[in-house]
Amino acid sequence: MERKHNIALTANAKELRKNMTKEERHLWYDFLRNYPVRFLRQKVIDNYIVDFYCHKARLIIELDGSQHYTEDGLVKDRIRTEIIEARNLTVLRIPNNEVNLHFREVCEYINRIVEEKCQEA
């Protein structure tokens, strides 16, 4: 049976849960933590640790800081997204500045996507 994730990353994921970014904390504590459909934070999938994961919607939410918009960051994110989406998961990338400046709209967007994905299931 093929493993769903790299066990060696589990300790790193636990550490990242303790040390979330300001934007991750905001999204988690002010929206996803009590969302009616369960989300996990800092979930290991393949050889990656994703910011937020919803099994029911088969959805990954990644919050992207400035390092994701460099030439190298864009290439790494594209490869990462392709590998994760090969597992029939959807990756939603949201810039940190959107979380900071348009939080309500980000939450509404996530809610709409989750509802759509759950209806497809």
Short mmCIF file of all heavy atoms in Angstrom, two decimals, residues 2-14 44-49:
data_model
loop_
_atom_site.label_atom_id
_atom_site.label_comp_id
_atom_site.label_asym_id
_atom_site.label_seq_id
_atom_site.Cartn_x
_atom_site.Cartn_y
_atom_site.Cartn_z
N GLU A 2 0.54 2.20 -0.84
CA GLU A 2 1.30 3.43 -0.95
C GLU A 2 1.01 4.34 0.24
O GLU A 2 -0.13 4.54 0.63
CB GLU A 2 0.92 4.17 -2.24
CG GLU A 2 1.67 5.45 -2.44
CD GLU A 2 1.15 6.23 -3.64
OE1 GLU A 2 0.24 5.74 -4.32
OE2 GLU A 2 1.66 7.33 -3.86
N ARG A 3 2.07 4.87 0.84
CA ARG A 3 1.91 5.79 1.97
C ARG A 3 1.40 7.12 1.49
O ARG A 3 1.81 7.63 0.46
CB ARG A 3 3.26 6.02 2.65
CG ARG A 3 3.51 5.08 3.78
CD ARG A 3 4.41 5.80 4.76
NE ARG A 3 4.59 5.19 6.02
CZ ARG A 3 3.67 4.81 6.87
NH1 ARG A 3 2.42 4.90 6.57
NH2 ARG A 3 3.96 4.30 8.03
N LYS A 4 0.50 7.71 2.28
CA LYS A 4 -0.07 9.01 1.93
C LYS A 4 0.87 10.16 2.26
O LYS A 4 0.78 11.22 1.67
CB LYS A 4 -1.40 9.20 2.67
CG LYS A 4 -2.14 10.44 2.26
CD LYS A 4 -3.48 10.52 2.91
CE LYS A 4 -4.20 11.77 2.49
NZ LYS A 4 -5.51 11.86 3.06
N HIS A 5 1.79 9.93 3.21
CA HIS A 5 2.68 11.02 3.58
C HIS A 5 4.01 10.51 4.12
O HIS A 5 4.16 9.35 4.44
CB HIS A 5 2.02 11.96 4.59
CG HIS A 5 1.87 11.36 5.96
ND1 HIS A 5 0.77 10.63 6.32
CD2 HIS A 5 2.67 11.41 7.04
CE1 HIS A 5 0.91 10.25 7.58
NE2 HIS A 5 2.05 10.70 8.04
N ASN A 6 4.94 11.43 4.22
CA ASN A 6 6.28 11.16 4.71
C ASN A 6 6.26 11.29 6.24
O ASN A 6 6.15 12.39 6.76
CB ASN A 6 7.24 12.16 4.07
CG ASN A 6 8.67 11.97 4.51
OD1 ASN A 6 8.95 11.33 5.51
ND2 ASN A 6 9.57 12.58 3.76
N ILE A 7 6.38 10.18 6.95
CA ILE A 7 6.30 10.18 8.41
C ILE A 7 7.39 11.06 9.03
O ILE A 7 7.18 11.64 10.09
CB ILE A 7 6.43 8.74 8.95
CG1 ILE A 7 5.33 7.86 8.38
CG2 ILE A 7 6.34 8.73 10.47
CD1 ILE A 7 5.47 6.41 8.74
N ALA A 8 8.52 11.19 8.36
CA ALA A 8 9.61 12.01 8.88
C ALA A 8 9.22 13.48 9.05
O ALA A 8 9.84 14.21 9.81
CB ALA A 8 10.84 11.89 7.98
N LEU A 9 8.17 13.91 8.35
CA LEU A 9 7.74 15.31 8.44
C LEU A 9 6.76 15.57 9.57
O LEU A 9 6.41 16.72 9.85
CB LEU A 9 7.11 15.75 7.11
CG LEU A 9 8.05 15.81 5.91
CD1 LEU A 9 7.26 16.17 4.66
CD2 LEU A 9 9.16 16.82 6.16
N THR A 10 6.30 14.53 10.25
CA THR A 10 5.29 14.68 11.29
C THR A 10 5.76 15.62 12.41
O THR A 10 5.00 16.48 12.86
CB THR A 10 4.88 13.32 11.87
OG1 THR A 10 4.40 12.51 10.78
CG2 THR A 10 3.79 13.44 12.91
N ALA A 11 6.99 15.48 12.86
CA ALA A 11 7.51 16.36 13.92
C ALA A 11 7.57 17.80 13.44
O ALA A 11 7.25 18.73 14.20
CB ALA A 11 8.89 15.89 14.38
N ASN A 12 7.97 18.01 12.18
CA ASN A 12 8.00 19.37 11.62
C ASN A 12 6.60 19.97 11.58
O ASN A 12 6.41 21.15 11.88
CB ASN A 12 8.58 19.37 10.20
CG ASN A 12 10.04 19.05 10.17
OD1 ASN A 12 10.67 18.82 11.19
ND2 ASN A 12 10.60 19.02 8.98
N ALA A 13 5.61 19.17 11.20
CA ALA A 13 4.23 19.66 11.13
C ALA A 13 3.75 20.06 12.51
O ALA A 13 3.11 21.11 12.68
CB ALA A 13 3.33 18.58 10.54
N LYS A 14 4.07 19.27 13.51
CA LYS A 14 3.68 19.59 14.88
C LYS A 14 4.31 20.92 15.31
O LYS A 14 3.63 21.75 15.93
CB LYS A 14 4.10 18.46 15.82
CG LYS A 14 3.63 18.61 17.22
CD LYS A 14 4.00 17.40 18.06
CE LYS A 14 3.47 17.57 19.48
NZ LYS A 14 3.78 16.40 20.31
N VAL A 44 0.53 16.74 6.82
CA VAL A 44 1.54 16.17 5.94
C VAL A 44 0.83 15.41 4.82
O VAL A 44 0.01 14.53 5.07
CB VAL A 44 2.48 15.22 6.71
CG1 VAL A 44 3.50 14.59 5.77
CG2 VAL A 44 3.17 15.94 7.86
N ILE A 45 1.16 15.79 3.58
CA ILE A 45 0.65 15.09 2.40
C ILE A 45 1.84 14.89 1.47
O ILE A 45 2.51 15.86 1.11
CB ILE A 45 -0.47 15.90 1.71
CG1 ILE A 45 -1.66 16.01 2.65
CG2 ILE A 45 -0.87 15.23 0.39
CD1 ILE A 45 -2.84 16.74 2.11
N ASP A 46 2.08 13.65 1.11
CA ASP A 46 3.28 13.28 0.35
C ASP A 46 4.51 13.79 1.10
O ASP A 46 4.66 13.52 2.27
CB ASP A 46 3.21 13.79 -1.08
CG ASP A 46 2.26 12.99 -1.95
OD1 ASP A 46 2.21 11.76 -1.79
OD2 ASP A 46 1.58 13.59 -2.80
N ASN A 47 5.34 14.55 0.42
CA ASN A 47 6.55 15.10 1.06
C ASN A 47 6.39 16.58 1.39
O ASN A 47 7.38 17.31 1.43
CB ASN A 47 7.77 14.89 0.15
CG ASN A 47 8.16 13.43 0.10
OD1 ASN A 47 8.27 12.78 1.14
ND2 ASN A 47 8.35 12.91 -1.09
N TYR A 48 5.17 16.99 1.63
CA TYR A 48 4.87 18.40 1.90
C TYR A 48 4.05 18.54 3.16
O TYR A 48 3.33 17.61 3.55
CB TYR A 48 4.10 19.02 0.73
CG TYR A 48 4.84 18.91 -0.57
CD1 TYR A 48 4.46 17.99 -1.54
CD2 TYR A 48 5.95 19.71 -0.84
CE1 TYR A 48 5.15 17.88 -2.74
CE2 TYR A 48 6.65 19.60 -2.02
CZ TYR A 48 6.25 18.69 -2.97
OH TYR A 48 6.94 18.58 -4.15
N ILE A 49 4.14 19.71 3.76
CA ILE A 49 3.26 20.07 4.87
C ILE A 49 2.38 21.19 4.35
O ILE A 49 2.87 22.27 4.00
CB ILE A 49 4.06 20.53 6.10
CG1 ILE A 49 5.00 19.41 6.57
CG2 ILE A 49 3.10 20.94 7.22
CD1 ILE A 49 5.97 19.83 7.66
#
